[in-house]
Amino acid sequence: MDVQELEPTWGRTISVWWLIAWRCFLGSLILAMAGGAGQAALEMSTIATPLIAKWVPELIASILGAIWFVIVVRMALRKSYKGFRIALMPRT
């Protein structure tokens, strides 16, 4: 099967960027709220030191954010956009 390669126009580039940007933003917002709630809970507890209460939620949110970013990129690769889709092909 011979596949026609399309030029990466600005319109196509922005379509892919927009999908990644808004989903990453939304996920980051949710993770930040969860991290803030976790930090507040740790600060109110008597078992956590101030250092642990500050850094543990931030570390967890950072790790989850990196995982979420990979998921969003995979979503972008699998989506059918208006007039095109992204295909991974072996080098010839």
Side-chain angles (χ1 to χ4, degrees):
M1 179 176 156
D2 194 24
V3 179
Q4 176 188 2
E5 187 174 336
L6 299 175
E7 287 295 317
T9 63
W10 282 110
R12 292 180 186 125
T13 302
I14 290 172
S15 293
V16 174
W17 170 81
W18 178 245
L19 180 137
I20 292 171
W22 81 263
R23 290 185 184 183
C24 280
F25 173 75
L26 186 61
S28 296
L29 187 63
I30 292 168
L31 288 170
M33 288 188 298
Q39 185 173 2
L42 280 174
E43 286 174 351
M44 289 189 299
S45 76
T46 58
I47 60 170
T49 66
L51 187 63
I52 290 173
K54 176 175 175 35
W55 290 105
V56 169
E58 290 181 13
L59 179 63
I60 292 170
S62 296
I63 291 167
L64 292 176
I67 293 168
W68 176 244
F69 182 69
V70 172
I71 292 168
V72 169
V73 170
R74 187 166 192 260
M75 287 179 194
L77 292 172
R78 298 180 82 187
K79 181 180 175 0
S80 289
Y81 298 86
K82 186 178 179 181
F84 73 98
R85 68 183 178 89
I86 300 171
L88 302 176
M89 301 173 8
R91 290 186 179 181
T92 55

